[in-house]
Amino acid sequence: MTCTPGTMPPMPTVLPRRSPDAAGPPVRHVTDAERRARLAVRHMLAPSFRAGSPQDVTRAMTVLHATEPATVHLSCHARTNALTTADVDRALFIERGLVRQLAMRRTLFVFPRDLLPAAWAGPSARVAAAERARMAGDVVEAGLASDGHAWLDHARADVLALLTTAADGLTAREIRRAVPAIDVKVAVRPGDPWTASRVLTQLGATADIVRGTNTAGWYASRPRWTLTRHWLGAPPAALDPAAGYREIVRRWLYTFGPGTEDDLVWWLGATRTTVRTALADLGALPVTLDTAATGWLLPDDLQEVTDPGRWAALLPVLDPTVMGWCGRDFYLGPHRAQLFERRGNAGTTAWVDGRVVGCWVQDVAGRVHLRLLESVTPAERRLLDEEAQRLTAWLDGFRVTPVYTSPAMRT
């Protein structure tokens, strides 16, 4: 199957449900080398496959990680030739074709607008339910009320009523001042205080409100919380959870496939039953991998991708490529411990032809420097140096201060 990079194939007809175990023998073998080639093409990292817009980048990657605000802009830069931070902000806050949404694994992502209904029905709803149960218990434990669910319902209603009259949205501080019932801070457990932000987070997970205009720079997040209908207009037709997960799995398979059940269960933060149901409904086909595990591909995506040529890339903290799989040996090799901090968050990474060979940091002047974890050839070093120069020029003296730093970055 051939597709313009960043353009998803049309949604196939849902096949009669059958379990992945009934899919038959593997249809072919996909080597690690081929997986790295697919990564270069589908993730728009090889120069000849780079994208033209933030929307193209996000669609290509299914979603972008947004836990660290700068990651969104840096991930877009790595996959484009001539993109500014203003271009990314325009896509987020003016055109609103990209939207920040809490979803898989209670993580903040940037979604293409058309994928939001799938998130709301599936992973966001799962996060919202879990957060509601936890918050209701914490309300009681903190002594805020004897009925945690009733307290949360009142708090949600008060915030929504406030935002109904604020078409441009309000910051968290403004909301706290206007709704004093949620303006509390209680240490429910050590290191995990209750704050008003948890009410806003839960409202965002249920798709009642959205992180709208950012009142800070591109490298920080201080949003105006806005009613979703104010920001995006009338809501689209609702999906059921199975349909939501099915569409997200379809896009993930195109971006990251072949992937294993374990990869999908981890990435989605979902159950194995949910993953198997989606794979079955999509008619996904099994392939063998060099690890001897079974991977899955869409039924119309079995051909090898175009040879991407030689390439190098410098990716930011929590970039979706390095965070895309649970089984990462085919691109990390022996470097996992040096490139991930203790909670499992990836630091910056330096790539050559689909392999991670180190990371990158900045000096006090903002210049980008490589920290390699293995030897590279002179030709590979030239490619990496070119990317370091390109990123240095793009940042133009600005120093990104990441929250998550890996051991290699701190060396």
mmCIF file of all heavy atoms in Angstrom, residues 303-348:
data_model
loop_
_atom_site.group_PDB
_atom_site.id
_atom_site.type_symbol
_atom_site.label_atom_id
_atom_site.label_comp_id
_atom_site.label_asym_id
_atom_site.label_seq_id
_atom_site.Cartn_x
_atom_site.Cartn_y
_atom_site.Cartn_z
ATOM 1 N N GLN A 303 3.002 -4.467 2.347
ATOM 2 C CA GLN A 303 4.160 -4.281 1.496
ATOM 3 C C GLN A 303 5.267 -3.526 2.229
ATOM 4 O O GLN A 303 5.011 -2.779 3.171
ATOM 5 C CB GLN A 303 3.772 -3.510 0.229
ATOM 6 C CG GLN A 303 2.771 -4.237 -0.661
ATOM 7 C CD GLN A 303 2.429 -3.436 -1.891
ATOM 8 O OE1 GLN A 303 2.977 -2.354 -2.119
ATOM 9 N NE2 GLN A 303 1.512 -3.951 -2.694
ATOM 10 N N GLU A 304 6.502 -3.723 1.767
ATOM 11 C CA GLU A 304 7.618 -2.987 2.332
ATOM 12 C C GLU A 304 7.534 -1.522 1.925
ATOM 13 O O GLU A 304 7.048 -1.187 0.842
ATOM 14 C CB GLU A 304 8.952 -3.574 1.855
ATOM 15 C CG GLU A 304 9.241 -4.965 2.403
ATOM 16 C CD GLU A 304 10.672 -5.399 2.144
ATOM 17 O OE1 GLU A 304 11.550 -4.506 2.109
ATOM 18 O OE2 GLU A 304 10.898 -6.596 1.989
ATOM 19 N N VAL A 305 8.014 -0.651 2.809
ATOM 20 C CA VAL A 305 7.999 0.777 2.511
ATOM 21 C C VAL A 305 9.178 1.117 1.604
ATOM 22 O O VAL A 305 10.111 0.330 1.416
ATOM 23 C CB VAL A 305 8.072 1.614 3.802
ATOM 24 C CG1 VAL A 305 6.901 1.319 4.714
ATOM 25 C CG2 VAL A 305 9.395 1.380 4.528
ATOM 26 N N THR A 306 9.136 2.339 1.072
ATOM 27 C CA THR A 306 10.221 2.826 0.232
ATOM 28 C C THR A 306 11.501 2.961 1.041
ATOM 29 O O THR A 306 11.473 3.338 2.216
ATOM 30 C CB THR A 306 9.840 4.200 -0.346
ATOM 31 O OG1 THR A 306 8.610 4.080 -1.055
ATOM 32 C CG2 THR A 306 10.917 4.735 -1.275
ATOM 33 N N ASP A 307 12.644 2.653 0.406
ATOM 34 C CA ASP A 307 13.934 2.834 1.071
ATOM 35 C C ASP A 307 14.101 4.307 1.428
ATOM 36 O O ASP A 307 14.071 5.181 0.553
ATOM 37 C CB ASP A 307 15.052 2.389 0.133
ATOM 38 C CG ASP A 307 16.438 2.512 0.772
ATOM 39 O OD1 ASP A 307 16.538 3.052 1.894
ATOM 40 O OD2 ASP A 307 17.418 2.081 0.143
ATOM 41 N N PRO A 308 14.271 4.633 2.712
ATOM 42 C CA PRO A 308 14.331 6.048 3.099
ATOM 43 C C PRO A 308 15.665 6.719 2.830
ATOM 44 O O PRO A 308 15.781 7.936 2.953
ATOM 45 C CB PRO A 308 14.057 6.000 4.604
ATOM 46 C CG PRO A 308 14.603 4.670 5.033
ATOM 47 C CD PRO A 308 14.321 3.733 3.887
ATOM 48 N N GLY A 309 16.711 5.964 2.513
ATOM 49 C CA GLY A 309 18.033 6.546 2.392
ATOM 50 C C GLY A 309 18.654 6.804 3.755
ATOM 51 O O GLY A 309 18.076 6.502 4.795
ATOM 52 N N ARG A 310 19.877 7.355 3.756
ATOM 53 C CA ARG A 310 20.569 7.617 5.006
ATOM 54 C C ARG A 310 19.935 8.819 5.701
ATOM 55 O O ARG A 310 19.547 9.790 5.059
ATOM 56 C CB ARG A 310 22.061 7.904 4.757
ATOM 57 C CG ARG A 310 22.812 6.807 4.032
ATOM 58 C CD ARG A 310 22.725 5.467 4.764
ATOM 59 N NE ARG A 310 23.184 5.542 6.141
ATOM 60 C CZ ARG A 310 24.476 5.410 6.521
ATOM 61 N NH1 ARG A 310 25.427 5.214 5.624
ATOM 62 N NH2 ARG A 310 24.799 5.455 7.794
ATOM 63 N N TRP A 311 19.842 8.777 7.032
ATOM 64 C CA TRP A 311 19.240 9.895 7.744
ATOM 65 C C TRP A 311 19.701 9.929 9.189
ATOM 66 O O TRP A 311 20.167 8.939 9.740
ATOM 67 C CB TRP A 311 17.712 9.833 7.679
ATOM 68 C CG TRP A 311 17.093 8.625 8.351
ATOM 69 C CD1 TRP A 311 16.941 7.379 7.811
ATOM 70 C CD2 TRP A 311 16.559 8.552 9.681
ATOM 71 N NE1 TRP A 311 16.334 6.530 8.706
ATOM 72 C CE2 TRP A 311 16.084 7.219 9.857
ATOM 73 C CE3 TRP A 311 16.411 9.465 10.719
ATOM 74 C CZ2 TRP A 311 15.486 6.802 11.053
ATOM 75 C CZ3 TRP A 311 15.823 9.058 11.906
ATOM 76 C CH2 TRP A 311 15.356 7.731 12.061
ATOM 77 N N ALA A 312 19.565 11.098 9.783
ATOM 78 C CA ALA A 312 19.813 11.291 11.212
ATOM 79 C C ALA A 312 18.740 12.232 11.733
ATOM 80 O O ALA A 312 18.159 13.022 10.990
ATOM 81 C CB ALA A 312 21.198 11.872 11.446
ATOM 82 N N ALA A 313 18.460 12.138 13.014
ATOM 83 C CA ALA A 313 17.453 13.001 13.625
ATOM 84 C C ALA A 313 17.790 13.224 15.089
ATOM 85 O O ALA A 313 18.361 12.343 15.742
ATOM 86 C CB ALA A 313 16.052 12.386 13.498
ATOM 87 N N LEU A 314 17.430 14.391 15.586
ATOM 88 C CA LEU A 314 17.548 14.713 17.009
ATOM 89 C C LEU A 314 16.141 14.968 17.526
ATOM 90 O O LEU A 314 15.486 15.934 17.127
ATOM 91 C CB LEU A 314 18.428 15.951 17.214
ATOM 92 C CG LEU A 314 19.864 15.861 16.685
ATOM 93 C CD1 LEU A 314 20.636 17.130 17.048
ATOM 94 C CD2 LEU A 314 20.581 14.633 17.215
ATOM 95 N N LEU A 315 15.676 14.082 18.410
ATOM 96 C CA LEU A 315 14.305 14.142 18.892
ATOM 97 C C LEU A 315 14.266 14.611 20.341
ATOM 98 O O LEU A 315 15.187 14.359 21.117
ATOM 99 C CB LEU A 315 13.636 12.772 18.754
ATOM 100 C CG LEU A 315 13.602 12.207 17.329
ATOM 101 C CD1 LEU A 315 12.829 10.896 17.300
ATOM 102 C CD2 LEU A 315 13.009 13.220 16.351
ATOM 103 N N PRO A 316 13.183 15.270 20.724
ATOM 104 C CA PRO A 316 13.101 15.858 22.065
ATOM 105 C C PRO A 316 12.685 14.851 23.127
ATOM 106 O O PRO A 316 12.362 13.687 22.834
ATOM 107 C CB PRO A 316 12.033 16.935 21.896
ATOM 108 C CG PRO A 316 11.116 16.359 20.859
ATOM 109 C CD PRO A 316 12.036 15.642 19.888
ATOM 110 N N VAL A 317 12.688 15.318 24.348
ATOM 111 C CA VAL A 317 12.156 14.540 25.471
ATOM 112 C C VAL A 317 10.748 14.069 25.137
ATOM 113 O O VAL A 317 9.930 14.828 24.618
ATOM 114 C CB VAL A 317 12.153 15.421 26.739
ATOM 115 C CG1 VAL A 317 11.350 14.772 27.857
ATOM 116 C CG2 VAL A 317 13.574 15.728 27.194
ATOM 117 N N LEU A 318 10.461 12.777 25.405
ATOM 118 C CA LEU A 318 9.129 12.198 25.231
ATOM 119 C C LEU A 318 8.616 12.268 23.801
ATOM 120 O O LEU A 318 7.407 12.261 23.567
ATOM 121 C CB LEU A 318 8.119 12.875 26.175
ATOM 122 C CG LEU A 318 8.313 12.601 27.675
ATOM 123 C CD1 LEU A 318 7.387 13.487 28.492
ATOM 124 C CD2 LEU A 318 8.054 11.135 27.991
ATOM 125 N N ASP A 319 9.503 12.313 22.837
ATOM 126 C CA ASP A 319 9.037 12.293 21.448
ATOM 127 C C ASP A 319 8.220 11.035 21.192
ATOM 128 O O ASP A 319 8.523 9.957 21.735
ATOM 129 C CB ASP A 319 10.226 12.327 20.492
ATOM 130 C CG ASP A 319 9.792 12.430 19.049
ATOM 131 O OD1 ASP A 319 9.556 13.554 18.585
ATOM 132 O OD2 ASP A 319 9.656 11.374 18.397
ATOM 133 N N PRO A 320 7.154 11.107 20.378
ATOM 134 C CA PRO A 320 6.302 9.931 20.169
ATOM 135 C C PRO A 320 7.012 8.745 19.535
ATOM 136 O O PRO A 320 6.571 7.603 19.711
ATOM 137 C CB PRO A 320 5.185 10.457 19.261
ATOM 138 C CG PRO A 320 5.717 11.719 18.664
ATOM 139 C CD PRO A 320 6.633 12.302 19.689
ATOM 140 N N THR A 321 8.095 8.970 18.804
ATOM 141 C CA THR A 321 8.797 7.834 18.217
ATOM 142 C C THR A 321 9.450 6.982 19.288
ATOM 143 O O THR A 321 9.271 5.759 19.329
ATOM 144 C CB THR A 321 9.846 8.310 17.196
ATOM 145 O OG1 THR A 321 9.179 8.945 16.101
ATOM 146 C CG2 THR A 321 10.651 7.135 16.661
ATOM 147 N N VAL A 322 10.206 7.593 20.172
ATOM 148 C CA VAL A 322 10.902 6.793 21.187
ATOM 149 C C VAL A 322 9.922 6.206 22.201
ATOM 150 O O VAL A 322 10.197 5.175 22.821
ATOM 151 C CB VAL A 322 11.993 7.634 21.880
ATOM 152 C CG1 VAL A 322 11.399 8.616 22.859
ATOM 153 C CG2 VAL A 322 13.023 6.743 22.570
ATOM 154 N N MET A 323 8.724 6.832 22.346
ATOM 155 C CA MET A 323 7.729 6.355 23.298
ATOM 156 C C MET A 323 6.658 5.484 22.641
ATOM 157 O O MET A 323 5.654 5.150 23.273
ATOM 158 C CB MET A 323 7.054 7.554 23.983
ATOM 159 C CG MET A 323 7.974 8.422 24.813
ATOM 160 S SD MET A 323 8.669 7.571 26.259
ATOM 161 C CE MET A 323 7.189 7.291 27.241
ATOM 162 N N GLY A 324 6.859 5.099 21.393
ATOM 163 C CA GLY A 324 5.789 4.444 20.643
ATOM 164 C C GLY A 324 5.569 2.986 20.927
ATOM 165 O O GLY A 324 4.484 2.457 20.642
ATOM 166 N N TRP A 325 6.558 2.292 21.457
ATOM 167 C CA TRP A 325 6.463 0.852 21.674
ATOM 168 C C TRP A 325 6.845 0.516 23.109
ATOM 169 O O TRP A 325 7.600 1.248 23.744
ATOM 170 C CB TRP A 325 7.406 0.097 20.739
ATOM 171 C CG TRP A 325 7.143 0.204 19.282
ATOM 172 C CD1 TRP A 325 6.403 -0.664 18.508
ATOM 173 C CD2 TRP A 325 7.658 1.190 18.374
ATOM 174 N NE1 TRP A 325 6.416 -0.258 17.200
ATOM 175 C CE2 TRP A 325 7.175 0.881 17.083
ATOM 176 C CE3 TRP A 325 8.464 2.313 18.540
ATOM 177 C CZ2 TRP A 325 7.482 1.644 15.960
ATOM 178 C CZ3 TRP A 325 8.765 3.090 17.434
ATOM 179 C CH2 TRP A 325 8.273 2.746 16.167
ATOM 180 N N CYS A 326 6.381 -0.630 23.559
ATOM 181 C CA CYS A 326 6.860 -1.193 24.825
ATOM 182 C C CYS A 326 8.142 -1.980 24.583
ATOM 183 O O CYS A 326 9.096 -1.907 25.354
ATOM 184 C CB CYS A 326 5.773 -2.075 25.432
ATOM 185 S SG CYS A 326 6.238 -2.885 26.965
ATOM 186 N N GLY A 327 8.181 -2.737 23.491
ATOM 187 C CA GLY A 327 9.376 -3.473 23.090
ATOM 188 C C GLY A 327 10.250 -2.597 22.217
ATOM 189 O O GLY A 327 9.962 -2.399 21.034
ATOM 190 N N ARG A 328 11.349 -2.081 22.766
ATOM 191 C CA ARG A 328 12.124 -1.028 22.099
ATOM 192 C C ARG A 328 13.509 -1.459 21.649
ATOM 193 O O ARG A 328 14.282 -0.638 21.153
ATOM 194 C CB ARG A 328 12.253 0.169 23.053
ATOM 195 C CG ARG A 328 10.909 0.774 23.441
ATOM 196 C CD ARG A 328 11.007 1.671 24.636
ATOM 197 N NE ARG A 328 9.720 2.287 24.935
ATOM 198 C CZ ARG A 328 9.344 2.726 26.127
ATOM 199 N NH1 ARG A 328 10.167 2.624 27.162
ATOM 200 N NH2 ARG A 328 8.149 3.269 26.300
ATOM 201 N N ASP A 329 13.841 -2.722 21.794
ATOM 202 C CA ASP A 329 15.215 -3.142 21.514
ATOM 203 C C ASP A 329 15.601 -2.926 20.054
ATOM 204 O O ASP A 329 16.785 -2.702 19.766
ATOM 205 C CB ASP A 329 15.412 -4.609 21.886
ATOM 206 C CG ASP A 329 15.428 -4.837 23.396
ATOM 207 O OD1 ASP A 329 15.482 -3.828 24.137
ATOM 208 O OD2 ASP A 329 15.366 -6.005 23.824
ATOM 209 N N PHE A 330 14.644 -2.977 19.141
ATOM 210 C CA PHE A 330 15.019 -2.887 17.726
ATOM 211 C C PHE A 330 15.527 -1.495 17.333
ATOM 212 O O PHE A 330 16.154 -1.320 16.300
ATOM 213 C CB PHE A 330 13.857 -3.325 16.820
ATOM 214 C CG PHE A 330 12.758 -2.320 16.631
ATOM 215 C CD1 PHE A 330 12.738 -1.475 15.535
ATOM 216 C CD2 PHE A 330 11.704 -2.243 17.535
ATOM 217 C CE1 PHE A 330 11.711 -0.563 15.350
ATOM 218 C CE2 PHE A 330 10.665 -1.350 17.354
ATOM 219 C CZ PHE A 330 10.674 -0.495 16.262
ATOM 220 N N TYR A 331 15.273 -0.498 18.175
ATOM 221 C CA TYR A 331 15.850 0.817 17.893
ATOM 222 C C TYR A 331 16.717 1.358 19.028
ATOM 223 O O TYR A 331 17.573 2.202 18.808
ATOM 224 C CB TYR A 331 14.773 1.842 17.527
ATOM 225 C CG TYR A 331 13.708 2.087 18.582
ATOM 226 C CD1 TYR A 331 13.831 3.087 19.527
ATOM 227 C CD2 TYR A 331 12.544 1.318 18.602
ATOM 228 C CE1 TYR A 331 12.856 3.323 20.474
ATOM 229 C CE2 TYR A 331 11.546 1.551 19.533
ATOM 230 C CZ TYR A 331 11.699 2.552 20.475
ATOM 231 O OH TYR A 331 10.719 2.776 21.407
ATOM 232 N N LEU A 332 16.525 0.842 20.268
ATOM 233 C CA LEU A 332 17.337 1.309 21.389
ATOM 234 C C LEU A 332 18.622 0.520 21.573
ATOM 235 O O LEU A 332 19.597 1.038 22.118
ATOM 236 C CB LEU A 332 16.535 1.224 22.693
ATOM 237 C CG LEU A 332 15.540 2.332 23.004
ATOM 238 C CD1 LEU A 332 14.952 2.119 24.383
ATOM 239 C CD2 LEU A 332 16.179 3.709 22.913
ATOM 240 N N GLY A 333 18.603 -0.745 21.147
ATOM 241 C CA GLY A 333 19.766 -1.577 21.410
ATOM 242 C C GLY A 333 20.035 -1.668 22.897
ATOM 243 O O GLY A 333 19.112 -1.848 23.699
ATOM 244 N N PRO A 334 21.295 -1.490 23.328
ATOM 245 C CA PRO A 334 21.634 -1.639 24.755
ATOM 246 C C PRO A 334 21.504 -0.354 25.568
ATOM 247 O O PRO A 334 21.939 -0.311 26.719
ATOM 248 C CB PRO A 334 23.094 -2.079 24.701
ATOM 249 C CG PRO A 334 23.643 -1.359 23.507
ATOM 250 C CD PRO A 334 22.515 -1.339 22.495
ATOM 251 N N HIS A 335 20.885 0.688 25.000
ATOM 252 C CA HIS A 335 20.977 2.018 25.614
ATOM 253 C C HIS A 335 19.757 2.428 26.445
ATOM 254 O O HIS A 335 19.668 3.583 26.868
ATOM 255 C CB HIS A 335 21.212 3.069 24.529
ATOM 256 C CG HIS A 335 22.376 2.786 23.654
ATOM 257 N ND1 HIS A 335 23.619 2.442 24.161
ATOM 258 C CD2 HIS A 335 22.501 2.770 22.294
ATOM 259 C CE1 HIS A 335 24.463 2.251 23.144
ATOM 260 N NE2 HIS A 335 23.801 2.432 22.012
ATOM 261 N N ARG A 336 18.819 1.519 26.683
ATOM 262 C CA ARG A 336 17.589 1.904 27.366
ATOM 263 C C ARG A 336 17.865 2.591 28.712
ATOM 264 O O ARG A 336 17.293 3.646 29.014
ATOM 265 C CB ARG A 336 16.712 0.669 27.594
ATOM 266 C CG ARG A 336 15.380 0.977 28.280
ATOM 267 C CD ARG A 336 14.658 -0.316 28.647
ATOM 268 N NE ARG A 336 14.296 -1.071 27.477
ATOM 269 C CZ ARG A 336 13.044 -1.178 27.014
ATOM 270 N NH1 ARG A 336 12.056 -0.586 27.662
ATOM 271 N NH2 ARG A 336 12.788 -1.889 25.940
ATOM 272 N N ALA A 337 18.727 2.010 29.531
ATOM 273 C CA ALA A 337 18.945 2.536 30.877
ATOM 274 C C ALA A 337 19.539 3.946 30.854
ATOM 275 O O ALA A 337 19.307 4.733 31.774
ATOM 276 C CB ALA A 337 19.859 1.600 31.674
ATOM 277 N N GLN A 338 20.285 4.268 29.808
ATOM 278 C CA GLN A 338 20.914 5.582 29.730
ATOM 279 C C GLN A 338 19.978 6.660 29.177
ATOM 280 O O GLN A 338 20.226 7.853 29.360
ATOM 281 C CB GLN A 338 22.166 5.509 28.846
ATOM 282 C CG GLN A 338 23.328 4.782 29.487
ATOM 283 C CD GLN A 338 23.807 5.501 30.742
ATOM 284 O OE1 GLN A 338 24.132 6.685 30.716
ATOM 285 N NE2 GLN A 338 23.844 4.781 31.851
ATOM 286 N N LEU A 339 18.902 6.242 28.507
ATOM 287 C CA LEU A 339 18.066 7.198 27.785
ATOM 288 C C LEU A 339 16.698 7.429 28.411
ATOM 289 O O LEU A 339 15.941 8.287 27.952
ATOM 290 C CB LEU A 339 17.908 6.741 26.333
ATOM 291 C CG LEU A 339 19.216 6.720 25.539
ATOM 292 C CD1 LEU A 339 19.025 6.040 24.203
ATOM 293 C CD2 LEU A 339 19.744 8.140 25.346
ATOM 294 N N PHE A 340 16.367 6.655 29.441
ATOM 295 C CA PHE A 340 15.094 6.815 30.138
ATOM 296 C C PHE A 340 15.355 7.086 31.608
ATOM 297 O O PHE A 340 16.214 6.442 32.212
ATOM 298 C CB PHE A 340 14.240 5.546 30.005
ATOM 299 C CG PHE A 340 13.610 5.369 28.650
ATOM 300 C CD1 PHE A 340 14.377 4.962 27.570
ATOM 301 C CD2 PHE A 340 12.259 5.615 28.450
ATOM 302 C CE1 PHE A 340 13.818 4.795 26.318
ATOM 303 C CE2 PHE A 340 11.685 5.453 27.203
ATOM 304 C CZ PHE A 340 12.463 5.041 26.133
ATOM 305 N N GLU A 341 14.610 8.043 32.187
ATOM 306 C CA GLU A 341 14.756 8.274 33.612
ATOM 307 C C GLU A 341 13.973 7.205 34.373
ATOM 308 O O GLU A 341 13.281 6.384 33.780
ATOM 309 C CB GLU A 341 14.360 9.706 33.990
ATOM 310 C CG GLU A 341 13.029 10.186 33.440
ATOM 311 C CD GLU A 341 11.894 9.911 34.391
ATOM 312 O OE1 GLU A 341 11.713 10.662 35.343
ATOM 313 O OE2 GLU A 341 11.154 8.949 34.153
ATOM 314 N N ARG A 342 14.050 7.226 35.688
ATOM 315 C CA ARG A 342 13.593 6.098 36.502
ATOM 316 C C ARG A 342 12.093 5.837 36.395
ATOM 317 O O ARG A 342 11.627 4.737 36.647
ATOM 318 C CB ARG A 342 13.966 6.329 37.961
ATOM 319 C CG ARG A 342 13.388 7.582 38.581
ATOM 320 C CD ARG A 342 13.850 7.787 40.010
ATOM 321 N NE ARG A 342 13.342 9.014 40.601
ATOM 322 C CZ ARG A 342 12.128 9.140 41.123
ATOM 323 N NH1 ARG A 342 11.308 8.104 41.129
ATOM 324 N NH2 ARG A 342 11.735 10.294 41.643
ATOM 325 N N ARG A 343 11.293 6.872 36.014
ATOM 326 C CA ARG A 343 9.850 6.681 35.891
ATOM 327 C C ARG A 343 9.436 6.223 34.502
ATOM 328 O O ARG A 343 8.246 6.080 34.217
ATOM 329 C CB ARG A 343 9.127 7.983 36.247
ATOM 330 C CG ARG A 343 9.202 8.342 37.723
ATOM 331 C CD ARG A 343 8.853 9.798 37.963
ATOM 332 N NE ARG A 343 9.875 10.688 37.422
ATOM 333 C CZ ARG A 343 9.880 12.011 37.588
ATOM 334 N NH1 ARG A 343 8.905 12.588 38.281
ATOM 335 N NH2 ARG A 343 10.846 12.752 37.070
ATOM 336 N N GLY A 344 10.410 6.002 33.625
ATOM 337 C CA GLY A 344 10.095 5.503 32.288
ATOM 338 C C GLY A 344 9.886 6.573 31.239
ATOM 339 O O GLY A 344 9.378 6.278 30.152
ATOM 340 N N ASN A 345 10.283 7.809 31.542
ATOM 341 C CA ASN A 345 10.148 8.901 30.577
ATOM 342 C C ASN A 345 11.441 9.059 29.789
ATOM 343 O O ASN A 345 12.530 9.129 30.371
ATOM 344 C CB ASN A 345 9.819 10.206 31.299
ATOM 345 C CG ASN A 345 8.511 10.120 32.056
ATOM 346 O OD1 ASN A 345 7.458 9.935 31.467
ATOM 347 N ND2 ASN A 345 8.582 10.239 33.381
ATOM 348 N N ALA A 346 11.308 9.154 28.477
ATOM 349 C CA ALA A 346 12.482 9.245 27.610
ATOM 350 C C ALA A 346 13.050 10.649 27.603
ATOM 351 O O ALA A 346 12.313 11.640 27.572
ATOM 352 C CB ALA A 346 12.113 8.841 26.186
ATOM 353 N N GLY A 347 14.372 10.724 27.622
ATOM 354 C CA GLY A 347 15.042 11.997 27.425
ATOM 355 C C GLY A 347 15.216 12.281 25.943
ATOM 356 O O GLY A 347 14.576 11.668 25.089
ATOM 357 N N THR A 348 16.077 13.226 25.609
ATOM 358 C CA THR A 348 16.371 13.507 24.203
ATOM 359 C C THR A 348 17.078 12.307 23.586
ATOM 360 O O THR A 348 17.735 11.518 24.288
ATOM 361 C CB THR A 348 17.261 14.749 24.065
ATOM 362 O OG1 THR A 348 18.520 14.486 24.719
ATOM 363 C CG2 THR A 348 16.602 15.968 24.683
#
